[in-house]
Amino acid sequence: MSAQPSARRTVLKGAALAGAAGLGLGLTACSTETNSGGSTPPTPTAPVDLGAADEVPVGGAKLYREQKVVVSRPAEGEYLAFSAQCTHAGCVLDKIEDETRGNCPCHGSRFDVTTGQVLRGPASDPLPAVPIRAEGGRLVAGPAA
């Protein structure tokens, strides 16, 4: 009769360890899911063509998720750009709400995409500014060539 409780403890310990391992895998996936392994810089290191400048609405913003950049257009001919990579865990913003609020899907941080400032944590640092320029009707983000 004493062998049975011992076997049950072994099974329960194994289940607990398997659950903990699964949890660890889930946390790892969360922190690197949209950050390409955590090794990509938060801003472009070379010029990146974002496309037609008129795709960004005046008074609004556009998310370029693949390039990890968000661009706002406060007035005709004016553009501001910020990294779209959250400063909390490195996830990439997934959408812009109400024309100026960037949403991080991983932990719920919100950013003002016209200033880069944090609107809601857990992020505490603003989005880094990215150089942006209009050339021939197209937007180019990142350092000049």
Side-chain angles (χ1 to χ4, degrees), residues 72-140:
S72 67
R73 188 176 180 186
E76 190 66 45
E78 279 185 52
Y79 300 93
L80 297 170
F82 298 92
S83 170
Q85 190 170 321
C86 181
T87 57
H88 172 246
C91 297
V92 178
L93 303 181
D94 69 342
K95 61 185 169 184
I96 297 174
E97 300 170 335
D98 299 327
E99 296 186 15
T100 61
R101 289 184 312 164
N103 176 68
C104 179
C106 293
H107 302 108
S109 292
R110 302 285 187 276
F111 297 89
D112 181 331
V113 296
T114 66
T115 65
Q117 294 302 308
V118 176
L119 298 174
R120 184 173 88 194
S124 58
D125 295 325
L127 297 172
V130 173
I132 188 88
R133 59 198 171 282
E135 295 178 348
R138 299 186 70 75
L139 289 177
V140 180

Side-chain angles (χ1 to χ4, degrees), residues 32 38-39 95:
T32 60
S39 61
K95 61 185 169 184

